[in-house]
Every structure is written in C-alpha cells, then in structure tokens.
Amino acid sequence: MTRPVTPAPAVPVPAPAKDPVHGGRAAWIMLASGWSANQFSALLGAYRSNLGLTESTVTGLFALYVVGLIPALLVAGPMADRRGRRPVALAALALNVLSTLLLMAGGLGATWLLLPGRFLTGVSAGALLAAGSAWIKELSGSPRRSGLFVSAGFATGGLGAALIAQWAPWPMVTAYVPHVVLGVVAGALAAREPETQAGRRDVRRAPDGPHPTRAFRREVLTVAPWIFAAPTIGFVTLPGSLHEGLILTGVATAVVPGIGLLTARRAVASVAPGLVTIAVGAAVAAAAAGTGSEAVALVAAAILGAGYGLTLTYGLTRTVALAPAHQLAGWTAKFWTAAYVGMFTPYVITLVSRAAPVPAVLVAVAVLAALTSWQASRPRRRTTRPRR
C-alpha cells in the first residue's frame, strides 16, 4: 500500500533585501516631489505683485495642485502594485520636471501655462508619492524615509525659490531652475535602483487586527487631512494675511516643513500629540493674524510644522502596519490622498474670511483640531474589546 504524498507547502518568493543605501538613492525623487510643490508656494506674493494675479486666483492655482494630485494618487497606487514601483516612479519624475518647465514659461508672459503647469505638478507629485513611498520603503525597510525626504523638499524648495526670486534676474523663471537640476540628478540616481514589486506579487502578510480596512479608515484616513492643513496655514494663510514680501513667505515655507522634518524622525504611536500640537499652532496663528505680528506668525508656523511632522509620521507608520504587502502602494496612495485634501485649507479660509475675520476662522480651526483629537482616541479603545 502506497503512502499518500503530502504536497510541500508553498514557499513565497523572498522579498528583495533591504538596503538603506538603495533606499537613500531612490529617496531623492521624493525630495524633488516636495521641492516642486513648495517652490510655487514661496512665489505666491510675487505672482500677485509681479503678474497682477488676484488673491483668489493665486490661492486657486495653489489648490489646483491638489486637483491633479488626488486622482493621480488613486490611479498610480494600484498601477504600481500591478506593474511595479520603479517604472511608475520614474515616469512621474519626468512629468514632474516637465511641469516645472511649463511654470517657467508661464513666468515669461504666457500666464495661461500656469494652469497646466500647476496641474501637472500635482499629477506627477501624486504618482511619485504613491509609487515612490512604497518603493523606498521596500528598498530601505523604513516607512518614514519617504516622508523625511518629502519634508526636506518642502523646506528647501520654498526657501530656495524665494531667495532666488528676491535677488536673481527674471525671478519667475530662474526660481524654478534648481528643481529642474534636482529632478535630473534624482532620476539618474533612482534609475540605478532595482524593482521591488516583481518579486513580491505572491507574498501575503497577515493584516494587523481582524478588520484592517476598517481600522485604516478610522485611524488614518479620518485624521490625515490635518497633515497638510497645518503647514498650509503656516506658509500660505499667515503670510498672505500679514505681508506680501517674498522673504517672510520663503522663511515660513522653510520653517514649517523644517520643524516637521525634525519631529518626523521618531516613531509616533498615537495621533493625539500631532493633533493637539496643530490645535495649539492654529490658536497661536489666530493671535498672529489678530495682532499682525510677524514674529508670532513664525512661532505659529513652527508649532504647526511640529504638528505636521508628528501626524505625517503616525500616518505613514500606521499605513504600513495595516496594509497587506501586495497592496502597499494602493493603501499608501489612499493615505496621501486623504492627507492632501488638507491643502484646500487656505482656499477655504479665504472664502470663509469674507463672512468672518481670519483670526476667528483660525480659532475655529484650533477647536476643530482639538475635537478631532478627542474623537480619534475613542473608537480605537473599542477595538481592544475581546470578541465574543
């Protein structure tokens, strides 16, 4: 009598070895993404004064970035899960450089090119965030590295563009040159890195908890808009309500993500510290708007930057903990989509300020952030109850 043959258990394809050097090289594309977003933010005052654009037009162009970014995130994330992180990220980087070239042409007088330029900046940045974040995490093993490099791009891009526009000739053109150079260099470095998704398509990881999708919505997506609501108040709303100068705007665009970069370096287990910090920062911002003090505005910007860094780190870390490995890019895209909804905040504040003064609106923002922190802590305690 023959003994039945027991089939050998399936062995998953091993994931590529994690190497911080590889992750660091590829992460420069995230620096380019952050730089491309904030170089325009630092020039908002110049677009008003040099090109005669209205406040609503300028803030609308700022928000147009998000209009392009959100659908790109939702499309590029699943695409990177199916076809690989590397090709999607590199194509997005090429489009990112093209968008900056269009903004440069808009500064030469063809102002209508600012619309497609700003829109494509959002599209390319969204695709970079979706594919690049997953790629860098899988290369280096760090879920926070992409966030650190994006924050560094936010900090340096805004200040660099403001300083160039203040003293260089043809400011609305030369301010964009560093990003073109950075994009080319980042592309050359990232092109040398391997694909990570091809060897991971058959890998499944047990999710964290019985209902990871429900937990992801509750613990990440509902609080993610505050991630970019905080910095945009610091470097868009406050400088616009206090001063038209490039230097204040440039310093604010450096202070907010710069402080965020420092606070994002450590893991955060709860979202409460970030939201409470944002609430305090919005309250100080209300005081700055009420008194017209630039010094208080910079203090508010620093506090808002700290809240940004804390919530960003929490969001990225929690997304990686909850997401199935084969859907990491798609879930990361959803996280960034929810986060970037917060970039509409300056536009909303501009509209609401027609009926109420800016300080009162910022006080309401502070109260809302505090309430969100309280609400976010309640359902998470319920998930610890044993199921019967």
Side-chain angles (χ1 to χ4, degrees):
M1 183 175 179
T2 59
R3 299 178 60 185
V5 179
T6 303
V11 179
V13 180
K18 298 177 177 63
D19 186 344
V21 174
H22 284 304
R25 289 173 183 168
W28 284 92
I29 64 176
M30 308 305 289
L31 183 71
S33 175
W35 188 296
S36 70
N38 249 17
Q39 62 182 352
F40 184 87
S41 304
L43 301 176
L44 294 179
Y47 279 114
R48 287 190 292 263
S49 58
N50 295 4
L51 300 183
L53 301 182
T54 64
E55 179 68 24
S56 59
T57 300
V58 170
T59 53
L61 283 170
F62 180 84
L64 188 62
Y65 169 85
V66 186
V67 174
L69 181 139
I70 289 178
L73 278 167
L74 297 176
V75 171
M79 183 182 297
D81 283 331
R82 294 192 305 268
R83 301 186 178 181
R85 286 73 159 103
R86 187 176 182 273
V88 176
L90 293 179
L93 181 64
L95 185 62
N96 195 241
V97 174
L98 174 62
S99 69
T100 293
L101 295 176
L102 291 176
L103 292 175
M104 294 171 72
L108 290 173
T111 54
W112 65 273
L113 288 175
L114 296 175
L115 290 171
R118 187 62 176 160
F119 177 76
L120 290 178
T121 300
V123 171
S124 57
L128 277 170
L129 288 170
S133 295
W135 190 24
I136 294 162
K137 187 271 173 185
E138 291 167 354
L139 283 170
S140 66
S142 171
R144 300 192 301 274
R145 176 162 294 186
S146 60
L148 292 174
F149 272 77
V150 167
S151 298
F154 286 151
T156 54
L159 182 60
L163 293 177
I164 292 172
Q166 181 70 31
W167 287 293
W170 307 293
M172 311 309 293
V173 177
T174 53
Y176 291 111
V177 171
H179 176 256
V180 175
V181 176
L182 174 61
V184 173
V185 173
L189 290 173
R192 301 166 56 189
E193 303 309 324
E195 174 60 60
T196 57
Q197 178 64 1
R200 300 173 62 90
R201 288 177 183 168
D202 295 330
V203 178
R204 299 292 185 271
R205 178 172 61 84
D208 181 6
H211 301 291
T213 303
R214 188 184 306 167
F216 180 63
R217 293 196 194 105
R218 182 183 62 247
E219 300 173 19
V220 178
L221 297 186
T222 58
V223 300
W226 288 104
I227 292 173
F228 286 120
T232 52
I233 291 172
F235 61 68
V236 177
T237 299
L238 277 180
S241 64
L242 297 178
H243 202 278
E244 296 293 329
L246 283 168
I247 297 302
L248 175 62
T249 306
V251 170
T253 55
V255 167
V256 175
I259 297 296
L261 180 64
L262 296 177
T263 57
R265 297 180 66 87
R266 293 183 178 275
V268 180
S270 169
V271 74
L275 290 177
V276 170
T277 303
I278 291 172
V280 173
V284 177
T291 62
S293 171
E294 295 182 5
V296 177
L298 290 177
V299 172
I303 298 173
L304 289 166
Y308 153 76
L310 291 170
T311 51
L312 175 62
T313 297
Y314 167 82
L316 284 170
T317 304
R318 194 64 184 144
T319 298
V320 170
L322 291 169
H326 64 291
Q327 295 179 345
L328 178 59
W331 284 45
T332 301
K334 293 176 184 177
F335 159 72
W336 284 115
T337 299
Y340 267 95
V341 169
M343 291 197 80
F344 286 106
T345 302
Y347 192 66
V348 174
I349 291 177
T350 299
L351 295 178
V352 176
S353 64
R354 297 174 182 175
V358 172
V361 177
L362 291 174
V363 169
V365 170
V367 173
L368 184 59
L371 289 175
T372 305
S373 175
W374 173 73
Q375 181 65 27
S377 64
R378 297 177 68 230
R380 288 195 64 182
R381 287 195 293 267
R382 293 194 187 110
T383 61
T384 60
R385 293 180 180 178
R387 299 182 63 188
R388 295 181 180 180

